Amino acid sequence: MAVGHLVFVFYILELGAELKIVEIEKIIGFSTLEDFMAVEGETSASNVVAAAAAAYPGVSLLWRRVVAVLVFLLLPSVAVCSAPLSQQDSRSNSSSHRLLASTSTNMVCPTYPMRNDQDRANSTAGSEKVIKASCIRDALKLLDANFFNDTKVLEIEKGALEFNIPIIRANRKLVASVDGGLHNPSPLVFNPQWRREKSQGKCKRFSHSTVSGIQRPKSEEDIAFMTVLELGELIKTKQITSEGLTRIFLERLKRYNPVLEAVVTYTEDLAYKQAKEADKLLAEGVYLGPLHGIPYGLKDIISVPGYKTTWGSTTFKNQILDIEAWVYKKLKSAGAVLVAKLVSGSLAYDDIWFGGRTRNPWNIEEFSTGSSAGPAACTSAGMVPFAIGSETAGSISYPAARCGVTALRPTFGTVGRTGVMSLSESLDKLGPFCRDAASCAIILDAIRGKDPDDLSSRDIPFDDPFSVDITKLTVGYLEDAEMEVVHVLASKGVNVVPFKLNYTVDSVQGILNFTMDVDMLAHFDEWQRSLQDDVYEAQDQWPVELRRARVVSAVDYMQAQRARGKLIREVKESFTVDAFIGNVTDWEKVCLGNLVGLPVIVVPTGLKNISDPPSGHTRRRTTVNTGIYAPPDHDHIALALAMAYQSTTNHHKQRPPIDDLGPNDKIPSPPMVTIPPRLPHG
């Protein structure tokens, strides 16, 4: 039986000092009020008296009868006072709200025989206050704030009802009626910059090296796996048209998508229109740069007018936003050609979406992991030359590592996010998935800059990664670094040293979850309140996290941000090298890097055999990779080091075996596999 209910009975009987709660439960013989009410028709006062006699033979018969009869008569009345919330709201579950039921402001309790009207009024009012305070205190346990006495608890309730809730509802109506965080951004802006000097004038563009002597391959397969710079040279020298290149990649998208489940929408009409425009400009002598006429894909949280922007979610799968995302504008002005909207895990969480679950081209019995699933899988499979994804907590680094592609998570604030679904305004970042680090540099140069509608975006004065003298750099390597990268960079004159990032904050992962989940709930408040989370594709993901976030107090959210500030200061003090090399999928590093705003480039470093391969032979592989991390605003250093490593290795040039898995590896279509546990990241 709920403690609040028993306290109520004790108060009425004025026996609180005489009997313990557990003893009354023994006398009654029921553990819950509902159990008692279920058999009320078959129960009589004499039955309760008999039960009391068996349990307490030392108690006088008179007292047993008095207590039992009073309890028997009063319990139905208590049931009226504390009716389950399901009777007030058919959507609620009565068992989950039993203790909170008696906090209803409309609670009406029956009267009881008293010496006079004043006694009756005082007793009823007093009992209601005791129950209400007890129940509110139980609720405050969820906030780790159940230290108030009854008077203060009731004061909190009064203030919340009269002051807080009207303000909460007014603000929600004002800014939270539309989900997704596309409008009304917070003015509280996170700036990860460690040095506060202002840049002088407009940031200079990168002067990339030219790729000369490139000849068009005979095979379209070979064309599909060329880098951005190589394809750009083919277009610039008119060895291939943008329209012809667009056709190749649209055909590959349609060919492999039934197995990989990586495409949401083909933007075919738009693609051919943009490709023809690129070819027309080139014929007129206008060349827009290395992205002129190059096809690409966008993660489907990035809005493009006239096409669905589904956010990967059943709830929003027919949504069309009349918003031109900033990053799309930048790529369009650079001459790039959009061929597809690529899969985002539902509401940017992991690789499950309303149309299925995206697979890893290197091992199609695996899933791509991370919400930028489509960009990673499509780039890996040669379905697009590059794609734009996003990361809040691992959604660039995880799928890039799993699918074996080079990808950059840039410094927070590098790329504007207007027109992009928002999880956390202080964590969300957009970045490129490419064949190589040089392509990542080219894409970054095209999409970086100040977005006037994104308060967090900045004109960051990067140095030119193509001009960095790496022999002047000191690069640390962690214990989990891929040592081949260390040795290659050392052979090129880089000063490599053992390194450890020291910090005392031991709640890094918790800070990340508090920040991301509370921010996400602010952007999807209406979604949760309207119970749309009931149709979410993976019930153990956002639905669970956002319900938990509902009871994170503003005070504790701010304490998490203060702890984040402490972490940033400690990482800054410990970052005594120009960059460091380390595992890119370690969850602690993923959380730390995103909280601090560190850029990291994911670099493929090899392949290994899959676990539990089929008998005989298979060409499926597990990718091996590492991360090169730099301080905020020093993405050019990470890019330069990755380019130096890739200039003498060919791991990034390997192609996944999506056409030929091996003579003894027959995978049914669609593949049948047990879905592994999902990673706790967005």
Side-chain angles (χ1 to χ4, degrees):
M1 179 179 292
V3 173
H5 299 151
L6 290 170
V7 170
F8 185 91
V9 174
F10 292 166
Y11 193 92
I12 297 295
L13 296 178
E14 298 181 359
L15 292 174
E18 304 293 331
L19 296 172
K20 296 179 180 179
I21 290 173
V22 292
E23 292 174 342
I24 288 292
E25 287 186 342
K26 289 180 181 178
I27 292 176
I28 297 173
F30 299 99
S31 59
T32 66
L33 179 60
E34 285 80 355
D35 292 340
F36 179 88
M37 297 304 298
V39 295
E40 181 185 353
E42 302 173 8
T43 306
S44 64
S46 60
N47 296 137
V48 178
V49 171
Y56 292 89
V59 178
S60 70
L61 178 61
L62 175 61
W63 268 109
R64 288 200 300 270
R65 286 177 174 171
V66 170
V67 172
V69 170
L70 285 174
V71 170
F72 178 79
L73 293 174
L74 287 172
L75 276 173
S77 300
V78 177
V80 173
C81 290
S82 55
L85 285 177
S86 60
Q87 297 176 15
Q88 304 167 33
D89 186 345
S90 62
R91 299 177 304 179
S92 301
N93 183 316
S94 63
S95 63
S96 63
H97 295 291
R98 189 176 298 134
L99 283 176
L100 296 177
S102 59
T103 63
S104 170
T105 56
N106 299 319
M107 179 172 64
V108 179
C109 295
T111 57
Y112 305 98
M114 293 289 173
R115 288 186 293 270
N116 53 53
D117 290 345
Q118 186 61 44
D119 285 347
R120 182 187 303 111
N122 291 341
S123 181
T124 301
S127 63
E128 288 184 9
K129 288 182 179 180
V130 170
I131 296 172
K132 186 178 291 186
S134 175
C135 293
I136 294 172
R137 190 178 295 105
D138 279 339
L140 287 173
K141 289 178 182 178
L142 300 179
L143 301 173
D144 193 27
N146 59 324
F147 49 83
F148 299 102
N149 62 28
D150 284 3
T151 300
K152 293 178 180 178
V153 164
L154 295 175
E155 180 186 88
I156 289 171
E157 185 215 22
K158 183 175 185 293
L161 292 173
E162 295 179 1
F163 184 76
N164 294 8
I165 290 179
I167 295 173
I168 290 169
R169 289 176 176 170
N171 290 341
R172 190 166 66 241
K173 181 179 179 180
L174 191 66
V175 301
S177 58
V178 178
D179 293 312
L182 296 172
H183 310 285
N184 304 302
S186 168
L188 304 178
V189 176
F190 171 55
N191 185 342
Q193 189 178 13
W194 286 355
R195 294 180 300 192
R196 297 300 184 188
E197 69 271 16
K198 292 184 178 180
S199 60
Q200 300 298 320
K202 191 175 181 180
C203 296
K204 296 180 180 179
R205 312 319 298 182
F206 300 161
S207 299
H208 64 85
S209 56
T210 58
V211 183
S212 58
I214 296 294
Q215 297 297 313
R216 174 176 174 167
K218 294 180 180 180
S219 164
E220 291 188 351
E221 174 88 5
D222 292 338
I223 292 174
F225 283 94
M226 296 179 80
T227 68
V228 165
L229 284 175
E230 291 168 342
L231 291 172
E233 185 67 12
L234 291 184
I235 287 179
K236 184 178 181 181
T237 57
K238 300 182 180 180
Q239 297 182 58
I240 193 170
T241 63
S242 176
E243 189 174 358
L245 200 58
T246 298
R247 176 191 58 77
I248 290 173
F249 284 107
L250 278 168
E251 287 179 356
R252 290 183 67 84
L253 285 162
K254 293 176 181 179
R255 177 180 178 181
Y256 296 115
N257 188 56
V259 172
L260 296 179
E261 298 181 355
V263 181
V264 180
T265 304
Y266 301 101
T267 57
E268 190 166 357
D269 291 343
L270 176 64
Y272 280 121
K273 178 182 177 181
Q274 292 180 342
K276 289 176 181 178
E277 178 65 21
D279 290 335
K280 180 175 180 289
L281 287 174
L282 192 60
E284 295 170 351
V286 178
Y287 180 64
L288 299 177
L291 296 184
H292 188 119
I294 304 296
Y296 74 100
L298 289 175
K299 182 176 180 178
D300 199 32
I301 62 170
I302 302 170
S303 59
V304 176
Y307 287 91
K308 292 179 182 179
T309 301
T310 70
W311 302 340
S313 166
T314 298
T315 306
F316 302 100
K317 67 180 181 180
N318 295 314
Q319 172 178 255
I320 297 178
L321 299 171
D322 189 24
I323 302 172
E324 193 171 47
W326 170 260
V327 68
Y328 170 65
K329 286 182 183 179
K330 297 285 282 185
L331 289 167
K332 185 170 68 170
S333 67
V337 175
L338 179 65
V339 291
K341 302 288 292 297
L342 307 179
V343 163
S344 165
S346 185
L347 301 184
Y349 193 126
D350 210 49
D351 51 23
I352 297 175
W353 60 293
F354 69 84
R357 192 172 186 188
T358 304
R359 297 182 178 276
N360 172 17
W362 275 103
N363 180 5
I364 61 173
E365 285 286 271
E366 274 187 337
F367 300 100
S368 61
T369 191
S371 70
S372 297
C378 288
T379 304
S380 173
M383 296 156 72
V384 289
F386 76 93
I388 303 298
S390 70
E391 173 156 329
T392 306
S395 287
I396 289 177
S397 50
Y398 276 107
R402 174 67 63 86
C403 297
V405 297
T406 305
L408 175 69
R409 181 189 76 204
T411 295
F412 176 83
T414 300
V415 184
R417 301 165 303 179
T418 297
V420 180
M421 191 202 90
S422 179
L423 269 71
S424 172
E425 290 167 27
S426 70
L427 293 171
D428 296 343
K429 296 160 289 293
L430 299 175
F433 291 77
C434 302
R435 301 259 175 273
D436 64 353
S439 297
C440 285
I442 295 297
I443 309 307
L444 180 68
D445 198 31
I447 63 177
R448 66 190 176 107
K450 175 62 181 176
D451 173 357
D453 295 317
D454 180 355
L455 299 178
S456 295
S457 67
R458 297 180 290 132
D459 274 320
I460 301 175
F462 295 121
D463 288 341
D464 188 343
F466 296 97
S467 303
V468 172
D469 184 355
I470 63 172
T471 64
K472 295 181 179 179
L473 300 178
T474 297
V475 176
Y477 59 91
L478 305 182
E479 291 181 350
D480 58 10
E482 283 295 319
M483 293 307 295
E484 185 198 54
V485 180
V486 176
H487 295 148
V488 168
L489 292 179
S491 72
K492 288 182 167 290
V494 176
N495 179 31
V496 294
V497 296
F499 178 70
K500 184 178 181 181
L501 201 59
N502 295 308
Y503 53 93
T504 63
V505 176
D506 59 2
S507 56
V508 172
Q509 299 174 31
I511 297 169
L512 186 285
N513 277 114
F514 262 36
T515 304
M516 178 177 67
D517 292 354
V518 172
D519 290 357
M520 174 66 174
L521 183 56
H523 298 142
F524 284 88
D525 188 9
E526 179 62 26
W527 178 76
Q528 187 187 70
R529 289 176 181 275
S530 61
L531 304 184
Q532 293 299 314
D533 58 345
D534 288 344
V535 297
Y536 187 77
E537 291 73 12
Q539 285 294 307
D540 59 336
Q541 296 182 356
W542 278 135
V544 172
E545 290 196 28
L546 297 189
R547 289 167 197 151
R548 185 177 65 215
R550 184 64 71 174
V551 291
V552 175
S553 71
V555 171
D556 295 310
Y557 178 87
M558 289 306 302
Q559 302 295 30
Q561 301 317 302
R562 295 176 70 196
R564 180 181 183 181
K566 179 178 176 63
L567 174 68
I568 292 170
R569 291 188 295 273
E570 292 182 348
V571 169
K572 177 183 176 182
E573 292 172 2
S574 179
F575 210 122
T576 56
V577 291
D578 295 303
F580 69 83
I581 304 165
N583 187 307
V584 77
T585 57
D586 173 73
W587 182 233
E588 178 82 0
K589 291 188 190 68
V590 168
C591 293
L592 181 145
N594 280 287
L595 287 170
V596 176
L598 301 180
V600 62
I601 187 164
V602 182
V603 181
T605 59
L607 300 167
K608 62 183 181 180
N609 292 332
I610 64 171
S611 59
D612 193 24
S615 59
H617 179 68
T618 180
R619 294 187 175 89
R620 289 187 286 145
R621 294 290 183 268
T622 296
T623 59
V624 183
N625 48 74
T626 199
I628 301 177
Y629 299 77
D633 298 358
H634 288 71
D635 306 46
H636 55 280
I637 291 179
L639 286 164
L641 291 167
M643 286 190 285
Y645 170 72
Q646 291 182 340
S647 69
T648 57
T649 59
N650 65 358
H651 302 303
H652 61 290
K653 297 179 181 179
Q654 303 306 305
R655 303 177 189 179
I658 49 178
D659 279 317
D660 184 5
L661 300 177
N664 298 308
D665 193 355
K666 305 297 182 184
I667 297 179
S669 182
M672 303 299 292
V673 66
T674 301
I675 296 178
R678 286 176 280 276
L679 293 168
H681 58 80

